[in-house]
Amino acid sequence: QVQLVESGGGLVQAGGSLRLSCAASGRTFSSAAMGWFRQAPGKEREFVAAISWSGSRSYYADSVKGRFTISRDNAKNTVYLQMNSLKPEDTAIYYCAAKIPFGASRSVGDYDYWGQGTQVTVSS
């Protein structure tokens, strides 16, 4: 069992930065691939970024590549999403997710555990 709690969302102007954190409980965190997804009003949840259990591999949606960076600290049971050069179209609720066993995926349906989400709003 893994419980996930996101934090770090907020309101920021276009061009600004935010860092999201996802704190995980449970001994299986270090063997879980982790992902960040987002959902804007009226839209389906979409993949943003994912990272392998070791942190050696990361994957990004084309829309955020070069602007967002996913990382993890297994000693702290935490995964991060550094978001730079934010755009109004990045506005959404951002969700952290865990996939056990390891093996990062871009698919919503592959993830077993989800956080409650944190709101990110980017003003123009």
Side-chain angles (χ1 to χ4, degrees):
Q1 189 79 7
V2 176
Q3 292 184 324
L4 305 171
V5 179
E6 302 96 334
S7 62
L11 173 64
V12 64
Q13 288 188 331
S17 298
L18 283 175
R19 188 174 85 152
L20 305 184
S21 299
C22 174
S25 64
R27 295 180 295 175
T28 54
F29 175 79
S30 60
S31 63
M34 300 297 296
W36 284 97
F37 293 78
R38 66 187 182 187
Q39 188 166 17
K43 295 189 177 181
E44 293 187 352
R45 193 169 297 190
E46 65 174 5
F47 170 75
V48 175
I51 190 166
S52 63
W53 68 274
S54 66
S56 62
R57 296 183 217 174
S58 56
Y59 309 87
Y60 298 92
D62 288 343
S63 59
V64 307
K65 201 172 294 183
R67 300 188 297 122
F68 291 11
T69 302
I70 188 171
S71 61
R72 67 189 295 164
D73 185 338
N74 285 346
K76 295 183 178 180
N77 278 13
T78 302
V79 63
Y80 305 97
L81 185 68
Q82 178 66 44
M83 306 186 295
N84 299 329
S85 302
L86 283 161
K87 304 175 181 179
E89 51 263 44
D90 294 319
T91 295
I93 298 174
Y94 283 70
Y95 297 91
C96 170
K99 178 178 177 291
I100 299 171
F102 47 83
S105 169
R106 298 170 181 261
S107 176
V108 170
D110 286 344
Y111 286 79
D112 305 288
Y113 303 98
W114 292 83
Q116 82 290 347
T118 185
Q119 176 71 49
V120 171
T121 303
V122 184
S123 63
S124 57

